[in-house]
Structures are given as C-alpha cells and as structure tokens.
Amino acid sequence: MSQTVSYLYAEHREYVSDKWASYLPVYDRWFARYQDAPISLLEVGVQNGGSLQIWAKYFSNAKRIIGCDINPKCAQLEFDDPRVALVLGDVKAAAVREQVLAHTEVYDIIIDDGSHKNADIIKTFKHFYARLAPGGIYVVEDLHCSYWSKWHGGLWRSDSAMEFFKSLTDVVNLESWGAKLLPANWVAKLKTKHHSRFKPADYADIESICFYNSMCLIVKGHGPNSIGGRVVAGDVALVHTALPKPGSAMPVPFQKKTFNKLKLKN
C-alpha cells in the first residue's frame, strides 16, 4: 500500500520540514494520482531540505525532485538520492531560473513555499506557469501572508497574491467573456502594478483553481479550457421543450469572435 504524505511526515527523522497540518491531507488528496508516475517536481523555498526528502519518498518513481532557495546556508544540504538537487539563488533572477530549467524544462508539480511576499508569489507564478506540464499542479503555500503587512499584503490590497489568484477564476471562464470586456479593459479594471503585464490568454488552459486555508492549487489542462457542447439525455420533455434531440450536434453557445479577439489582442 502506498504511503501517504501525512504518514511520511509523521515518520520522518532526517532533514527538518515545516508544513501546516491542514496542508498534508490536501496533498494526499491531490497528489495521490501522481504518486507512482515518473514526475518532475520543483519546490521554491526548501528551508532545511526535509520536504525534498519526503517528496522523494512519496514519489518513488519521480525523475527529478528539484529545490530552489535563496538562503546560502542551504549549500550545506546534501542528498544521497541522485534524483534530488538544489539550486541556490533568487528564483526571480533569470540566471537562477536557467539553472532550475537545466534539470528539466517542464515540471509536473510546482510548489511555491518561497519568500511569501505578494509580489514574489505573483512573479514566480508568471515565470513558471508556462513550465508546468499539461495536467500538472501549481501549488502556492502560506497565502495567509497575503493578508499581512509584513509581506506587503492586506485584506483590501488589490495587488495582493490572493487578489491575483482570485482574478484567475475569471480566466477559467475566458470563453464566456462579453464583447465589451476585452483584456486591456479587464486588466485596467484591476488597477494594480503587478497585473500590468498580465495576459489572460496566457492562462486560457487553466482547468481549475482550488482554494484551501492559506493554499491555492491551480491545475493546468491539456488545451484551452472549454465548456464544450451541451449534453442532453432523455426522451420526454414536459416543461421545456425547446431542446435538441439526444446525440445531435450542438454549437458552443458562446461568443467565439470575442474569444478569438481575446487570444489575438492581449
């Protein structure tokens, strides 16, 4: 029987890893489907390095387990597992990102447990979402810092990381946007410096976004997110009769011209 993340944390005796208790069952729920797969995982912010050891145990068939940390003391960390590697430096720096991507250009799971500063969270997501494999999961931990001034956050701050990820929920429904709300107008409506270069169509393949206490999980789809055609089942319609016959082709009832403009103009 496969070991759970919760079990591995309870039994871990090597390098220290520090996670909030509520995170572990979330990881058990979302990571189980990838546990035996040959995945590549990136964790930004590794502190004492214990989480990398635990991920290596949990994902026993993983190809790469890569950590990145700005703290030079992390140079002391040594890993016996050849799949585990550590990149030292600020992940927002192009040279450091090149080192991260030298291990593999695409990651199946990316976990941001870095500085927790709102601007850094947003920038890291913008840099690495494109490097997330189709079907992959991007996780942001410790989003409670989005509400705290120490990390440049606040409940009413429009440039917080939470506001950024909440704005992505609109992108999940990108194909349904009205003709009067083109990307430039939508971004301007946010009125934040961190969204100034935000292009909704760059994230049109987001399949789902899920929020937990202090966490956000973004799942990347295998193509542009689409509601698809209508599925009608049954033979008897006594109330609403203006329905197509089961199995008949149905056009997607959205403004496709507008959707094309979103992709072309932003």
Side-chain angles (χ1 to χ4, degrees):
M1 182 176 179
S2 298
Q3 295 175 323
T4 65
V5 176
S6 300
Y7 174 83
L8 291 173
Y9 264 87
E11 297 297 313
H12 187 66
R13 295 295 181 270
E14 300 172 86
Y15 288 153
V16 169
S17 178
D18 181 9
K19 302 284 187 186
W20 295 102
S22 63
Y23 295 180
L24 305 187
V26 174
Y27 283 136
D28 282 329
R29 179 182 303 176
W30 285 89
F31 287 175
R33 73 188 78 172
Y34 305 96
Q35 188 168 10
D36 298 322
I39 68 155
S40 293
L41 180 147
L42 169 64
E43 184 165 34
V44 177
V46 301
Q47 204 178 60
N48 288 297
S51 59
L52 298 180
Q53 293 177 323
I54 291 173
W55 297 135
K57 293 175 183 176
Y58 182 80
F59 297 107
S60 58
N61 295 319
K63 294 182 296 183
R64 297 284 187 275
I65 305 289
I66 308 301
C68 182
D69 203 292
I70 197 172
N71 192 333
K73 291 184 178 180
C74 288
Q76 303 174 64
L77 300 175
E78 297 180 353
F79 300 94
D80 295 330
D81 193 324
R83 301 171 302 158
V84 180
L86 184 62
V87 175
L88 290 176
D90 187 342
V91 76
K92 299 190 302 301
V96 174
R97 293 198 300 275
E98 288 178 5
Q99 293 180 57
V100 170
L101 297 174
H103 290 281
T104 179
E105 294 186 353
V106 178
Y107 288 88
D108 301 283
I109 295 175
I110 299 175
I111 303 170
D112 184 353
D113 188 21
S115 74
H116 306 328
K117 293 179 180 178
N118 285 265
D120 290 350
I121 292 171
I122 295 170
K123 290 176 182 177
T124 300
F125 180 79
K126 288 183 176 180
H127 286 310
F128 280 103
Y129 178 76
R131 299 295 184 170
L132 187 66
I137 300 178
Y138 192 106
V139 182
V140 183
E141 292 186 349
D142 298 345
L143 273 175
H144 51 270
C145 295
S146 180
Y147 301 101
W148 295 352
S149 59
K150 181 179 179 180
W151 282 273
H152 311 151
L155 178 60
W156 307 115
R157 287 192 61 148
S158 60
D159 60 349
S160 73
M162 275 299 300
E163 287 302 313
F164 174 79
F165 290 114
K166 284 191 287 185
S167 72
L168 288 182
T169 61
D170 287 321
V171 180
V172 172
N173 298 293
L174 181 61
E175 63 183 333
S176 304
W177 288 12
K180 294 182 179 180
L181 190 57
L182 293 178
N185 299 331
W186 182 76
V187 174
K189 184 180 179 181
L190 296 175
K191 297 180 180 178
T192 73
K193 59 183 178 181
H194 300 311
H195 299 319
S196 59
R197 297 182 180 178
F198 183 74
K199 297 181 178 180
D202 289 345
Y203 307 99
D205 54 359
I206 291 178
E207 179 180 288
S208 63
I209 301 173
C210 188
F211 291 95
Y212 293 89
N213 191 330
S214 302
M215 297 180 77
C216 180
L217 287 80
I218 299 98
V219 179
K220 191 171 192 175
H222 293 268
N225 193 354
S226 174
I227 198 171
R230 289 169 64 182
V231 178
V232 181
D235 300 316
V236 181
L238 301 178
V239 179
H240 183 64
T241 57
L243 291 171
K245 294 181 179 180
S248 62
M250 281 293 297
V252 179
F254 298 110
Q255 303 179 40
K256 284 299 181 183
K257 292 182 179 179
T258 299
F259 188 41
N260 290 334
K261 289 180 181 178
L262 290 171
K263 292 190 286 187
L264 293 172
K265 290 188 175 183
N266 70 82

